[in-house]
Amino acid sequence: MPDIVIHVVASALYAALALHFWHSRWRAGAPAPVGLQGWERAAILLPIALHGWLVYADVFAAPQLRFGFAQALSVMLWLALAICWLESLVYRVEALFPMALAVAALCAPLPAFFPGRVAPDGYPLEFKLHLVAGMLAYSLFAAAMLHAVLISMVERQLHSSPAQVARLASGLPPLLSLERLVFQLTGAAFVVLTLTFAAGIAFSESIFGRAMRFDHKTVFIVLSWIIFGWLLLGRWLYGWRGRTAFRWTLAGFLMLMLAYPGSRFVLEVILAR
């Protein structure tokens, strides 16, 4: 079966499940949430497993390493969705899945249409550590962003549709618990991003002879690192939450997206380089 067909199948499965969760959890008039059913949990795991196989085949098992914006987004959403699935074993976060599955449906087939650049052979261990750590950091930040958007949507509906919020809240942990999850994910991602810096510096030193290359990617990564560090400091010192925390989380995530996926999209698609 051609790879593009498998990518489209994985995307279609994600989209179908996103529609199911929207109808059963978010749609006005839907029955009260009853928790994630066993068949739903297994159904989500099916496209995650298929997507994981595609990630391995596209990035790691290919004769030459190809990694561009499409591969980065695909890996990021695969890992973020896997994190949310594991989280659902402990918390009732099924209201998160319509959004998470819909975004995964958009990102899963991208490598089939945008093959990315071929990385030179002979990259050292530092580069591989940098790549793995970077994708894990991106995925943890993406999972935190999905949770933050969910909290913002629920809080916004408190004024416009209290009945809808009451129904959704019965299928969610308390908002304070969700906020703690956001900061736990952000803290873990911040630690991994810091390790990614270290691996990136080692990689740059061994390949280019200097510790850091000040290009667009580096500038946006540094900005995101500063923003997320400031957010965690504000949470620790001042108890930041709600809209303040959401705005800083959004700003940091946007900087992160402009770093590798954004810069690679401009080079690969707009400038065709």
Side-chain angles (χ1 to χ4, degrees), residues 19-33 98 153 157 160-168:
L19 189 61
H20 161 74
F21 278 100
W22 181 81
H23 274 291
S24 59
R25 266 69 174 187
W26 277 95
R27 182 178 56 85
M153 292 171 66
Q157 288 194 0
S160 60
S161 181
Q164 173 76 346
V165 170
R167 190 183 64 80
L168 281 173

Side-chain angles (χ1 to χ4, degrees), residues 24 83 125 156 228 253:
S24 59
I83 291 168
L125 176 62
R156 184 169 297 181
F228 281 119
F253 189 71

